[in-house]
């Protein structure tokens, strides 16, 4: 079945998520619990609401995990197919690799690590009206110098793809969501790595193809780093970022089934407390993510941090901007600050790591 929009969706989830280690040592990035459910659940909710029903996942790293969880997609209101890369093909190569599964006239391609509030139906409408070969979601950002920028002319046609530069001529950046005419995908070379940003798009532009910009300034976040992952989870829980896959009401905290939060503990900032997780007496959890079975000891402070499955924080410990892998343990009175990453299963003894001299 094709959708009422005559569009298929392709989601690229083949990356290893190295920037999010150690969390991605045990789960692929798009399967990490993001506001209480795998990131892909949120994306699928947007795809379904846009009226697209057929979705192809381009997988590579830990490919089996996706099918084990999502199956045929029926529980999420979509029809889901899987294509596994046997060797890395980069973005355009991965898109070309799923070509034989595509049915619809248009194909919406998503990178598997963006939380976005852009209107997919409107992007498809703009694409159709412009009779474009490819329509790119272009996001307006306050500091475009950190990204490649994409200037457009007065009609919305893309004029160039510019590398990162200190003084970009536009605040429009490539936001990682594209609508292709299916025939354009067929023209991508097979059997080798092909970058959509560095090869496909510039090549199409040089050949005179019509590349169009769908310019938007709604919510957009690349959740590829621990800092951004924590922020994205918080924004989803607080209702700042759009989703219909949140497993509970939006608010200051999302507390999942079986979790225990002490009466005098403070849980704020859009924190997620995973299933069977424990937050002890007098503890503070602010803007953080506790995966299932994690625990925070009495009087501990956890801010802007992620605690993996079964991770444990001892009494009186302080964590600010920290990532703990599955089963890691930070002992009582430890103090870990921005950027610290504790690998799965590692145990830090009581008072063993401090940034202050007052232990």
């Amino acid at each position: 079945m094709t959708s009422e929009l005559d569009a298929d969706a392709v989601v690229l989830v083949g990356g290893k998520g190295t920037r999010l280690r150690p969390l991605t040592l045990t789960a692929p990035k798009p399967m990490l619990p993001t506001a209480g459910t795998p990131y892909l659940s949120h994306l699928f909710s947007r795809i379904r609401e846009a009226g697209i029903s057929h979705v192809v996942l381009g997988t590579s790293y830990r490919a089996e995990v996706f099918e084990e969880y999502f199956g045929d997609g029926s529980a999420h209101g979509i029809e889901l197919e899987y294509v596994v890369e046997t060797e890395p093909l980069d973005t355009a190569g991965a898109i070309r690799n799923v070509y034989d599964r595509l049915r619809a006239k248009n194909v919406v391609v998503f990178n598997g690590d963006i939380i976005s509030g852009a209107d997919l139906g409107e992007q498809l409408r703009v694409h159709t009206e412009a009779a474009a070969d490819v329509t790119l979601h272009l996001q307006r950002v306050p500091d475009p110098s950190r990204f490649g920028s994409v200037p457009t002319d007065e009609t919305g046609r893309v004029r160039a793809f510019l590398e990162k530069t200190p003084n970009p001529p536009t605040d429009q950046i490539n936001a990682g969501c594209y609508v292709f005419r299916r025939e354009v995908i067929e023209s991508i070379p097979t059997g080798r790595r092909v970058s959509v940003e560095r090869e496909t798009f510039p090549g199409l532009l040089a050949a005179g193809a019509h590349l169009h910009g769908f310019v938007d300034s709604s919510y957009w976040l690349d959740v590829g780093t621990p800092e951004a992952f924590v922020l994205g989870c918080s924004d989803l829980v607080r209702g700042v970022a759009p989703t219909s896959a949140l497993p509970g009401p939006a608010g200051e905290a999302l507390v999942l089934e079986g979790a225990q939060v002490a009466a005098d503990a403070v849980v704020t900032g859009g924190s997620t407390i995973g299933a069977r997780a424990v937050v002890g007496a007098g503890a503070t959890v602010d803007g953080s993510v506790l995966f299932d079975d994690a625990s925070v000891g009495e009087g501990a402070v956890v801010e802007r941090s992620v605690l993996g499955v079964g991770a444990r924080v001892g009494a009186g410990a302080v964590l600010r901007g920290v990532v703990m892998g599955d089963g890691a343990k930070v002992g009582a009175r430890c103090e870990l600050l921005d950027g610290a990453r504790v690998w799965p299963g590692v145990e830090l003894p009581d008072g063993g790591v401090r940034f202050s001299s007052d232990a």
Side-chain angles (χ1 to χ4, degrees), residues 14-306:
K16 291 187 175 179
T18 52
R19 292 182 297 165
L20 273 172
R21 284 179 179 166
L23 301 175
T24 47
L25 294 173
T26 44
K29 178 168 57 175
M31 293 301 293
L32 289 176
T34 307
T37 189
Y39 160 80
L40 280 180
S41 301
H42 300 291
L43 179 56
F44 289 161
S45 78
R46 288 186 60 227
I47 291 170
R48 185 181 63 244
E49 287 169 0
I52 300 171
S53 55
H54 179 226
V55 182
V56 182
L57 277 190
T59 68
S60 175
Y61 174 65
R62 303 290 302 279
E64 71 288 348
V65 175
F66 298 98
E67 191 160 6
E68 285 169 9
Y69 187 92
F70 289 108
D72 64 3
S74 56
H76 293 260
I78 55 176
E79 179 192 353
L80 196 51
E81 292 191 75
Y82 304 85
V83 178
V84 180
E85 289 177 25
T86 53
E87 57 187 61
L89 295 170
D90 213 333
T91 43
I95 298 167
R96 181 63 178 85
N97 196 48
V98 307
Y99 177 77
D100 64 351
R101 304 294 180 92
L102 303 176
R103 311 166 187 164
K105 178 182 177 182
N106 297 306
V107 182
V108 189
V109 178
F110 301 87
N111 285 333
D113 52 7
I114 303 290
I115 299 175
S116 172
D119 185 334
L120 295 176
E122 182 65 11
Q123 184 174 349
L124 273 159
R125 187 192 65 77
V126 166
H127 173 77
T128 303
E129 281 193 2
D133 294 303
V134 184
T135 299
L136 296 86
H137 172 203
L138 303 180
Q139 182 76 16
R140 287 200 166 106
V141 296
D143 180 15
S145 66
R146 297 189 299 119
F147 306 90
S149 59
V150 185
T152 50
D153 67 15
E154 62 279 357
T155 70
R157 284 186 78 133
V158 172
R159 293 192 289 116
F161 291 90
L162 305 175
E163 297 293 329
K164 293 178 187 178
T165 172
N167 298 297
T170 176
D171 63 355
Q172 299 170 181
I173 66 160
N174 177 358
C177 176
Y178 321 117
V179 182
F180 281 82
R181 277 196 311 107
R182 190 174 65 179
E183 293 79 8
V184 176
I185 293 175
E186 191 177 16
S187 71
I188 297 170
T190 59
R192 66 174 177 86
R193 296 181 71 109
V194 186
S195 164
V196 75
E197 300 90 352
R198 291 187 296 278
E199 182 175 343
T200 304
F201 290 156
L204 285 168
L205 206 58
H210 181 172
L211 273 62
H212 206 78
F214 169 65
V215 181
D216 187 71
S217 53
S218 59
Y219 186 94
W220 183 85
L221 183 68
D222 174 347
V223 292
T225 66
E227 298 80 10
F229 177 77
V230 168
L231 176 61
C233 290
S234 168
D235 286 347
L236 287 163
V237 169
R238 292 182 298 131
V240 176
T243 180
S244 59
L246 201 66
E252 278 296 293
L254 175 66
V255 181
L256 299 183
E257 190 174 349
Q260 300 175 41
V261 178
D264 63 345
V266 178
V267 181
T268 56
S271 293
T272 300
I273 310 300
R276 301 171 305 280
V278 176
V279 180
T284 298
V285 177
D286 182 23
S288 295
V289 183
L290 275 60
F291 289 2
D292 295 351
D293 301 299
S295 66
V296 175
E298 199 174 306
V301 174
V302 177
E303 298 176 355
R304 298 175 287 102
S305 296
V306 187

